[in-house]
C-alpha cells in the first residue's frame, strides 16, 4: 500500500545544476500534480497531468519541466537550478472524480546554493 | 482566479478544549469543493475533511467538523476535544469543478495550531 512515492527526500544542488525529482503512484490515478511549499505561502501548483501524454502548467511553472509517459510516473525536472527554487516539493495524485481528495507524497526538501 | 485566505497565522488551544480555524475564499463559481488538510512536523499532508458546495449539510469526521457558509464564502474548521496529536499546520483548499484551468487545489497560507497540555 505505497500510495505516492517521492524520491529523494532531501537534495542539495549548486546553482546551474540539473536534477529530476521522481514521483510514482500505484493507485492507477489519472491525475497527478507537483506543488511547491514555501514558508508563509501555502502550496502552489507547478505542473499537472490528467493522463499519460498530457501535461499542463499550473501557477508557478517557470524553471520546471514535466512529462508523463506512463500512468504511474510523473517526474519533475529542474534544468538549471536557481536559489529561488529552494523549497519543499510535493507530488500528489487523485482519482477521476472532482470530489476525490489529493493523495500526497512525503515531500522533497531541495536546497539550491 | 480563486483565492483562499486564512487570517490566523497561529492559534493556541488547551488540550481537551475546542478551537475553530477560519477560512474564507473568493470565487464566482456556484459549484466547487473545499478541503482541510493537516501537515504535522513530519511534513506529510493529511486530508482532514472535505465539503461539496452544493451540499447544505456541514461535513463532519469524528472530532472535526466544518461550518460552511456559502453566501459568506466561509469554511471554518472546528476541532473538538483537542488532542496533542492535533498540533500541526492546517491548510484550507479550494477546487473548481469547471474542468478548465489548472484543475488543482488553491491553498491558503495555513494556520499553525498549538496544543497546550
Amino acid at each position: 500500500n505505497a500510495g505516492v512515492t517521492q524520491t529523494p527526500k532531501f537534495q542539495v544542488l549548486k546553482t546551474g545544476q540539473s536534477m529530476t525529482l521522481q514521483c510514482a503512484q500505484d493507485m492507477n490515478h489519472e491525475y497527478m500534480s507537483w506543488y511547491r511549499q514555501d514558508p508563509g505561502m501555502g502550496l502552489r501548483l507547478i505542473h499537472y497531468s490528467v493522463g499519460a501524454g498530457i501535461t499542463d502548467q499550473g501557477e508557478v511553472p517557470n524553471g520546471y519541466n514535466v512529462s508523463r509517459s506512463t500512468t504511474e510516473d510523473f517526474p519533475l525536472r529542474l534544468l538549471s537550478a536557481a536559489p529561488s527554487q529552494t523549497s519543499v516539493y510535493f507530488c500528489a495524485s487523485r482519482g477521476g472524480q472532482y470530489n476525490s481528495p489529493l493523495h500526497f507524497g512525503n515531500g522533497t526538501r531541495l536546497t539550491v546554493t | 482566479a480563486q483565492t483562499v485566505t486564512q487570517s490566523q497565522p497561529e492559534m493556541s488551544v488547551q488540550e481537551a478544549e475546542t478551537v475553530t480555524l477560519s477560512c474564507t475564499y473568493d470565487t464566482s463559481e456556484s459549484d466547487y469543493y473545499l478541503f482541510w488538510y493537516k501537515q504535522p512536523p513530519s511534513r506529510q499532508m493529511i486530508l482532514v475533511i472535505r465539503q461539496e458546495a452544493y451540499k447544505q449539510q456541514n461535513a463532519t469526521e469524528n472530532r472535526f467538523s466544518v461550518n460552511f457558509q456559502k453566501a459568506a464564502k466561509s469554511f471554518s474548521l472546528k476541532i473538538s476535544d483537542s488532542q496533542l496529536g492535533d498540533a500541526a499546520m492546517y491548510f484550507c483548499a479550494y477546487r473548481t469543478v469547471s474542468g478548465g484551468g489548472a484543475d488543482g487545489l488553491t491553498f491558503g497560507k495555513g494556520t499553525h495550531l498549538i496544543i497546550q497540555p
Side-chain angles (χ1 to χ4, degrees):
Chain A
N1 192 21
V4 180
T5 302
Q6 282 184 243
T7 55
K9 293 183 179 180
F10 301 93
Q11 183 70 50
V12 178
L13 291 178
K14 294 184 177 180
T15 298
Q17 288 185 318
S18 63
M19 79 158 296
T20 299
L21 305 184
Q22 300 293 343
C23 177
Q25 53 91 8
D26 61 0
M27 297 172 283
N28 201 32
H29 285 166
E30 291 295 324
Y31 180 86
M32 297 186 73
S33 53
W34 278 100
Y35 289 82
R36 62 177 287 171
Q37 182 179 23
D38 301 297
M41 295 294 293
L43 280 76
R44 293 180 292 168
L45 182 65
I46 304 172
H47 285 285
Y48 69 100
S49 169
V50 297
I54 305 169
T55 64
D56 207 343
Q57 298 179 352
E59 179 185 355
V60 288
N62 292 340
Y64 308 95
N65 283 347
V66 293
S67 61
R68 184 93 180 272
S69 57
T70 67
T71 299
E72 294 77 21
D73 300 300
F74 190 45
L76 178 71
R77 297 182 183 85
L78 285 70
L79 298 180
S80 179
S84 61
Q85 294 178 304
T86 294
S87 188
V88 177
Y89 291 86
F90 287 95
C91 179
S93 73
R94 68 170 174 85
Q97 297 194 2
Y98 279 103
N99 66 347
S100 299
L102 280 179
H103 297 263
F104 285 87
N106 287 333
T108 296
R109 179 175 294 279
L110 174 67
T111 302
V112 182
T113 62
Chain B
Q2 295 83 15
T3 57
V4 176
T5 301
Q6 294 179 247
S7 59
Q8 307 151 316
E10 186 172 280
M11 293 282 285
S12 181
V13 64
Q14 290 290 128
E15 191 176 3
E17 293 188 345
T18 296
V19 63
T20 298
L21 309 184
S22 66
C23 172
T24 59
Y25 55 94
D26 185 24
T27 183
S28 58
E29 299 177 330
S30 60
D31 199 12
Y32 45 86
Y33 294 95
L34 297 164
F35 303 83
W36 277 99
Y37 279 88
K38 169 186 177 181
Q39 187 180 43
S42 67
R43 203 170 66 196
Q44 187 180 7
M45 292 290 289
I46 303 165
L47 176 69
V48 175
I49 201 165
R50 57 181 155 174
Q51 174 79 42
E52 300 173 12
Y54 65 86
K55 289 187 176 179
Q56 299 272 355
Q57 187 173 5
N58 289 325
T60 61
E61 288 287 344
N62 300 316
R63 297 184 294 108
F64 298 87
S65 62
V66 298
N67 183 5
F68 174 50
Q69 302 289 328
K70 190 173 183 179
K73 297 179 183 176
S74 172
F75 183 60
S76 60
L77 175 70
K78 185 171 83 171
I79 306 173
S80 303
D81 186 25
S82 299
Q83 300 175 1
L84 294 177
D86 295 333
M89 285 290 292
Y90 286 81
F91 292 97
C92 178
Y94 172 104
R95 177 188 292 150
T96 180
V97 299
S98 66
D103 196 41
L105 291 179
T106 300
F107 284 85
K109 295 183 178 182
T111 296
H112 181 211
L113 179 63
I114 298 168
I115 310 295
Q116 304 281 5

